């Protein structure tokens, strides 16, 4: 099973200890994972992925929009590793846009609402790059879709996996950055109704934030 960093239920940092955009200060409970730690963990994930998957052309598929920051940093680490480890493979990128959440809850209806033509994945090793796995329904649906395009191999890396024993479909990705408590998190491109993507750290939104930005 994939290794990961476990964030315990009460493990958070005071938001006063970090640089938070002023317009969000009153709407966050605390910082759960500072950006520096995300980057350090991402560097190691890139190394593990390259060692396992870089035996032929690799396509990294970014799940928009929430996965874009993680995807960007992970791709950079993979490209660096590919260029310096003495062994390299062609590396390309594709994008897909999914939607399954409204406000802070899953709608049980996963929609693919845009992205590249996935026929490019045929015969290639595909790495799906996701921001967060909650119930796992979104990823199960995406894996069904991708398999129709006949890739050689598909692996999934998710920056976060939530501890949701009662809701989970028991799906686990191949690579995991952090396992986190069952709280609604924002920042580092994860949004709440399109807000908070412009926040560096992964933070827990508070009640006031949920109310202020509810649609
Ligand atoms: P699942 O299908 O696994 O239940 O949900 C996955 C999707 O729900 C993610 O790609 C993400 O868009 C959204 N999601 C689940 N939990 C959170 C959360 O705590 N914060 C944010 N911003 N999005 C979440």
């Amino acid at each position: 099973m994939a290794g990961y960093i476990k964030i315990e239920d009460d493990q958070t940092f005071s938001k006063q200890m970090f640089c938070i955009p002023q317009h969000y200060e009153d709407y966050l409970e605390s910082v759960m994972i500072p950006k520096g730690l995300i980057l350090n963990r991402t560097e190691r994930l890139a190394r593990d992925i390259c060692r396992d998957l870089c035996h032929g052309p690799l396509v990294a598929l970014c799940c928009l929009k929430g996965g874009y920051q993680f995807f960007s940093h992970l791709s950079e680490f993979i490209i660096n590793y590919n260029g310096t480890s003495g062994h390299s493979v062609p590396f390309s990128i594709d994008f897909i846009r999914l939607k399954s959440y409204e406000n802070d809850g899953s709608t049980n209806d996963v929609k693919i609402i845009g992205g590249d033509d996935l026929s490019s994945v045929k015969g290639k090793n595909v790495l799906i790059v996701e921001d967060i796995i909650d119930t796992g329904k979104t990823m199960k649906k995406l894996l069904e879709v991708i398999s129709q395009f006949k890739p050689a191999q598909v692996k999934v890396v998710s920056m976060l996996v939530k501890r949701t024993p009662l809701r989970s479909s028991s799906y686990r990705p191949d690579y995991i950055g952090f396992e986190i408590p069952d709280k609604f998190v924002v920042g580092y491109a994860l949004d709440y109704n399109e807000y908070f993507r412009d926040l560096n750290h992964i933070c827990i939104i508070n009640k006031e934030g949920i109310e202020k930005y509810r649609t």
Side-chain angles (χ1 to χ4, degrees), residues 101 130-132 134-138 162 183-185 191:
Y101 253 62
E130 174 67 299
D131 52 355
I132 182 164
D134 183 348
T135 63
K137 284 183 199 149
T138 305
K162 261 193 205 176
K183 304 260 170 71
F184 194 80
V185 288
D191 74 315

